[in-house]
Amino acid sequence: MKKKIMSIFGTRPEAIKMAPVVKELENRDEFESVVVITAQQREMLDQVLEVFEIIPDYDLDIMQPNQTLSELTSRVLVKLDPILAKEQPDVILVHGDTTTSFVASLGAFYHQISIGHVEAGLRTWDKYAPFPEEMNRQMTDCLSDLYFAPTELSKKNLLTSNIKEEKIIVTGNTVVDALSETTLHGFNHPVMEEMNPASKKVLLTCHRRENFGEPMKQIFTSVIEMVKKYKELEVIYPVHPNPNVKAQATEMFKNIERIHLVEPMDVIDFHNCMKESYFIMSDSGGIQEEAPSLGKPVLVLREVTERPEGLETGILKLVGTKTETILAAVDELMTNKEYYQSLTKQDNPYGDGQASKRIADALGDYLKK
Ligand code: UD1
Ligand code: UDP
């Protein structure tokens, strides 16, 4: 009899990173793949599902404007419960550190269903950074039965958390699998019509809860100062639809030349825009893992990162959220050519494009036991 694997996800980054896993499960006769989306992020999730042609079996459709973490938590738990009871999967798969991932794990635990955690073991060991993601992933790891750690360092973090070694499989990050498909295309976004073809593109994203308010103000100020100083730079900023982000971005970047605010891009556009950028400024998690495959330096707009592997190779630079420090890092990229070029030719420490296969193999082994 086929083993039933239920993949549960709800946000854009989870969908991008789970798409290659869902495809791999669908291609193997031994598994029945069931996809449940919480739609914690309605529009941004749908964009990804369309690109990867994933048709969910269940859609909880829970997103509300400016949702609080508690509301989100309770809606996921209550709406998922009857589906778990009815489907009784052999394993559920969750990804990373979102509220969907943690709460789906909690729901599965209440039904005594095995939990596989994809992208397990990332840590800052700082309860409030990133918030609430650090505790979401620690709590998900607490509840899981099978751990797909992207790197040796994430495995080490799990061992430190007293997880038994035989439950951990180092797979690489599935985002590298996704990139091999999305980057086959070119970048043809309408924003190109507003831009000087000779300019150097800087891609900006910013959405973390702990950056709301003053840190985001300092980040945006540094971007404004940067384009004033370096006339050859143009910034493309796909603005996250969170009202806390959107309000601040539209207010601060109003009428500033060479800063282009656009709607969230679909993942094919976004990855190809990364490919054409001179460098990237971001507080995103996933972008830190994608940039090394494309040889693009990232100024990481955070105080800490759970992805230190890229700091060691230099392709990521943790610049914090203070205007002065961010601008100093921009100056280094813009004035030191040798340094810039040394960053752009590197292997990706986060994966080799085979993670989904390793995950499917490991699930097969686990379910034979
Ligand atoms: C969530 C994740 C975060 C991840 C991010 C990716 C948690 C706690 N955090 O944070 O780890 O980095 O997603 O984007 O799970 N909205 C829309 N349409 C969308 C998406 C969001 O309108 O397609 C707006 C809604 O008003 C929503 C708000 O953004 O209430 C916040 O979305 P939510 O997913 O709760 O939080 P993020 O901060 O995006
Ligand atoms: N991304 C996208 N369109 C955008 C911005 C980002 O497809 O306009 C992709 C990006 O390539 C990465 C993922 O979304 O794969 C990161 O999502 P986000 O930054 O929202 O979340 P995080 O990774 O910080 O959890």
Side-chain angles (χ1 to χ4, degrees), residues 206-359:
C206 193
H207 73 280
R208 302 236 78 84
R209 276 167 206 260
E210 66 274 15
N211 280 346
F212 291 171
E214 182 57 27
M216 211 167 271
K217 187 172 167 198
Q218 295 236 3
I219 290 169
F220 291 168
T221 304
S222 70
V223 177
I224 294 168
E225 293 301 316
M226 174 181 85
V227 292
K228 271 195 208 152
K229 182 165 179 184
Y230 297 102
K231 306 281 185 222
E232 68 270 44
L233 293 182
E234 286 198 61
V235 175
I236 304 177
Y237 177 14
V239 182
H240 191 291
N242 190 320
N244 300 288
V245 179
K246 218 169 172 172
Q248 201 161 354
T250 41
E251 169 63 27
M252 285 190 70
F253 292 130
K254 199 165 46 192
N255 303 326
I256 309 270
E257 266 184 78
R258 286 177 289 113
I259 298 180
H260 307 273
L261 304 194
V262 296
E263 293 295 313
M265 288 181 194
D266 79 37
V267 62
I268 292 182
D269 270 344
F270 191 79
H271 285 169
N272 289 289
C273 186
M274 286 178 80
K275 223 163 80 177
E276 294 209 4
S277 300
Y278 193 63
F279 63 89
I280 297 163
M281 303 173 79
S282 180
D283 63 2
S284 161
I287 291 168
Q288 296 176 60
E289 295 151 343
E290 295 165 341
S293 284
L294 306 171
K296 300 298 172 182
V298 184
L299 302 183
V300 181
L301 306 166
R302 300 182 177 195
E303 303 301 336
V304 290
T305 178
E306 60 290 87
R307 293 162 167 97
E309 295 87 342
L311 296 178
E312 278 165 31
T313 72
I315 193 114
L316 307 183
K317 184 161 179 148
L318 199 58
V319 295
T321 56
K322 302 272 184 296
T323 302
E324 220 171 87
T325 335
I326 298 170
L327 283 172
V330 169
D331 284 341
E332 202 179 7
L333 285 176
M334 292 302 289
T335 56
N336 187 343
K337 280 221 164 67
E338 214 177 308
Y339 163 69
Y340 178 86
Q341 265 150 13
S342 73
L343 302 178
T344 58
K345 297 177 199 76
Q346 302 187 353
D347 291 335
N348 192 330
Y350 299 106
D352 63 359
Q354 302 299 314
S356 322
K357 289 196 173 60
R358 294 188 188 106
I359 290 169

Side-chain angles (χ1 to χ4, degrees), residues 2-3 5 25 28-33 360 363-364 367:
K2 289 188 182 214
K3 298 291 185 183
I5 314 288
L25 295 174
R28 296 199 184 196
D29 287 340
E30 62 193 294
F31 299 124
E32 178 189 349
S33 167
L363 277 168
L367 290 166

